[in-house]
Amino acid sequence: MERLNRGRILVVDDEKNIVIVLSAILEKRGFRVEGFTDPKLAMSCFERNIFDAVVTDLYMPEVSGIDFLKRAREVREGIPVVVITAFGAVETAVDAMRAGAFDYVTKPFEQSEIADVVEKAVNTRRLSLLEIIPGGKDSPAEPKVRNMVLEGKGRAMRELSELLEKVAASPTPLLIYGEQGTGKEMLVEEIHRRSGRGRESLVRMNAAALVGSAVDSELFGFEGRAGRLELAARGTLFIDEVNELSRASQLRLAESLEAGFFERGRDGLRIPLDARIIAGSQQPLREGALLDELRYRLNVISLHLPPLRDRREDFPEIVAYFLDRIVNRLGCGPKNPSPGFLEKLASLPWPGNLRQLENVLERVALLSGAASELLESDLPEEISSDSGLARFREIVKNRTQSI
């Protein structure tokens, strides 16, 4: 079976060996990679082609990584840029995050670490589902943003939209809960954009991906290295799978929220806590899910993202949006879903929610050739049959991260 392309990545580093290593790591994960040692040539390529993410070193002659990051985001708004920096370069990492970097990785890095971060960046980009309506002479000062996920017709999505309007601009901590793949990171991005912190960093952390002391180090920092709380200063920190935090980390975070400051690692430096905290979970934070000290602080306002199977009425718009993005990314002709195709999609349970739907649509678009109309028969057997969906549940469980 033809292997699906997981995304196109631009890699920039003035050291040729680093470019070769990064290319090999990412290609092993299924990405297509364009690697450059000259940032000017890399930018020329970036301006002429479509990429899903950028990986750049921060220290390069002639063009710095920060300048490359800023230019990339000017050329293509919302492109996730992962920066690579030297271990212990706290200020540089902070500057990169404030300039809009998706995340940073320190040298020397583990293969799995850089691959996981890039994969997360690509998935976040693909599921951002933000469609910016260009402004005109009659447009308001702020650009109007349509979010296909947040514009659902059902009661649950209408209530979510109304609640979002009330709480987005507040500094109050929020909880977003929903199944894997329902769009939690998408919603976080929308909240961050609407808040007064929208021009500052949005920093992400998945507590389920860390174990032991790594959780504290990642959240609070250590030995001169900035943690996520520090990197999110004046911005927003999204802690996904918050219930996976250790009891010790939960208590320390609760105490920090109460005191308004935290201490970085062992150096004892007190740092003001000036980040809006948004927590993510697959379930509501009921009693026992977290220490009460933290649960009470995070569970002030809860936003629920319903699963895709409960949003049948939204399928035409969501499918049309995904197909438009897919054909633009793949460079193929237009793909129009037939009524039977849409009806079949809406009848399936979609255990992987939005990510599963997009992956299926990309596969169908690739294999449909020159045909412009997508039929029910174009759907892969493992998706269109109940037994196949059962198998796919396990695939989704093993291969997806919460968004």
Side-chain angles (χ1 to χ4, degrees):
M1 181 183 294
E2 181 180 359
R3 185 177 183 179
L4 295 182
N5 166 39
R6 303 186 69 177
R8 191 178 185 190
I9 312 299
L10 179 70
V11 170
V12 193
D13 197 301
D14 60 305
E15 294 185 38
K16 184 177 181 180
N17 288 340
I18 295 294
V19 173
I20 293 173
V21 169
L22 285 171
S23 299
I25 292 171
L26 296 176
E27 287 171 354
K28 189 176 180 181
R29 280 286 182 100
F31 295 106
R32 285 189 299 151
V33 180
E34 298 287 342
F36 292 88
T37 56
D38 185 333
K40 292 182 179 179
L41 292 177
M43 182 52 66
S44 177
C45 177
F46 181 77
E47 292 172 344
R48 291 183 285 103
N49 296 279
I50 299 298
F51 290 90
D52 294 288
V54 175
V55 179
T56 179
D57 188 27
L58 281 180
Y59 297 100
M60 297 184 292
E62 298 186 23
V63 179
S64 72
I66 294 289
D67 289 338
F68 194 93
L69 159 66
K70 291 177 178 178
R71 176 58 183 161
R73 290 175 63 81
E74 287 175 1
V75 172
R76 199 151 289 118
E77 185 176 358
I79 186 75
V81 180
V82 177
V83 298
I84 300 175
T85 186
F87 178 81
V90 176
E91 293 304 321
T92 307
V94 171
D95 289 344
M97 296 300 288
R98 287 178 178 168
F102 177 84
D103 207 340
Y104 73 96
V105 176
T106 57
K107 296 179 181 178
F109 50 79
E110 297 289 338
Q111 291 190 25
S112 59
E113 179 187 16
I114 185 67
D116 288 345
V117 170
V118 171
E119 186 169 342
K120 184 81 168 179
V122 170
N123 288 338
T124 300
R125 171 68 167 168
R126 289 185 171 184
L127 291 176
S128 64
L129 291 182
L130 289 176
E131 180 182 358
I132 301 178
I133 299 176
K137 63 180 181 178
D138 299 323
S139 299
E142 289 293 322
K144 181 179 179 183
V145 177
R146 293 184 58 223
N147 189 312
M148 303 303 293
V149 168
L150 303 182
E151 286 193 357
K153 302 172 185 176
R155 178 180 175 183
M157 295 306 298
R158 293 199 309 271
E159 290 178 351
L160 173 64
S161 183
E162 292 171 3
L163 186 56
L164 179 61
E165 191 69 30
K166 297 176 182 178
V167 305
S170 165
T172 303
L174 299 174
L175 169 70
I176 299 174
Y177 68 95
E179 295 178 7
Q180 286 186 344
T182 49
K184 289 190 284 293
E185 286 208 9
M186 225 183 329
L187 183 53
V188 169
E189 290 176 2
E190 179 72 357
I191 293 169
H192 179 70
R193 186 193 66 81
R194 294 193 193 186
S195 73
R197 300 168 179 265
R199 295 185 181 275
E200 302 295 338
S201 299
L202 167 58
V203 179
R204 304 162 177 85
M205 171 180 168
N206 190 318
L210 302 167
V211 295
S213 61
V215 178
D216 261 19
S217 298
E218 195 68 25
L219 187 56
F220 299 100
F222 72 102
E223 297 179 356
R225 182 182 186 272
R228 302 290 166 141
L229 277 173
E230 187 174 349
L231 292 172
R234 298 189 299 277
T236 304
L237 174 62
F238 176 45
I239 307 175
D240 203 3
E241 304 291 0
V242 67
N243 51 299
E244 296 293 333
L245 288 174
S246 68
R247 293 302 212 197
S249 295
Q250 290 180 37
L251 182 58
R252 188 176 176 187
L253 179 57
E255 291 174 344
S256 299
L257 289 169
E258 172 71 25
F261 66 85
F262 61 95
E263 294 185 357
R264 184 206 290 161
R266 298 175 182 175
D267 53 26
L269 179 64
R270 287 191 173 187
I271 300 172
L273 201 170
D274 184 20
R276 185 188 197 175
I277 308 297
I278 301 179
S281 174
Q282 294 189 43
Q283 300 294 334
L285 293 182
R286 299 187 176 90
E287 185 174 357
L290 284 178
L291 289 177
D292 286 346
E293 295 92 331
L294 184 58
R295 182 169 65 91
Y296 294 150
R297 290 194 165 275
L298 297 180
N299 208 16
V300 178
I301 299 291
S302 296
L303 303 174
H304 176 229
L305 280 166
L308 189 56
R309 61 183 174 274
D310 292 342
R311 301 186 58 192
R312 309 296 184 191
E313 64 275 12
D314 298 330
F315 264 75
E317 290 79 12
I318 293 175
V319 169
Y321 182 81
F322 274 134
L323 285 175
D324 182 60
R325 295 191 340 151
I326 288 167
V327 298
N328 285 334
R329 186 166 67 242
L330 299 180
C332 57
K335 301 293 180 182
N336 302 305
S338 68
F341 184 86
L342 284 173
E343 184 178 354
K344 181 62 179 180
L345 290 180
S347 71
L348 298 173
W350 298 107
N353 293 294
L354 294 169
R355 183 178 293 119
Q356 181 189 3
L357 175 62
E358 185 181 27
N359 288 342
V360 169
L361 291 174
E362 182 169 353
R363 173 174 176 172
V364 171
L366 278 170
L367 300 182
S368 61
S372 60
E373 185 178 35
L374 301 180
L375 306 174
E376 180 182 344
S377 58
D378 292 321
L379 289 169
E381 186 276 334
E382 63 264 30
I383 295 300
S384 58
S385 69
D386 291 339
S387 60
L389 272 169
R391 292 195 302 273
F392 200 87
R393 289 178 193 271
E394 187 62 27
I395 297 173
V396 168
K397 180 179 179 182
N398 292 334
R399 293 184 57 187
T400 64
Q401 294 290 334
S402 171
I403 49 175

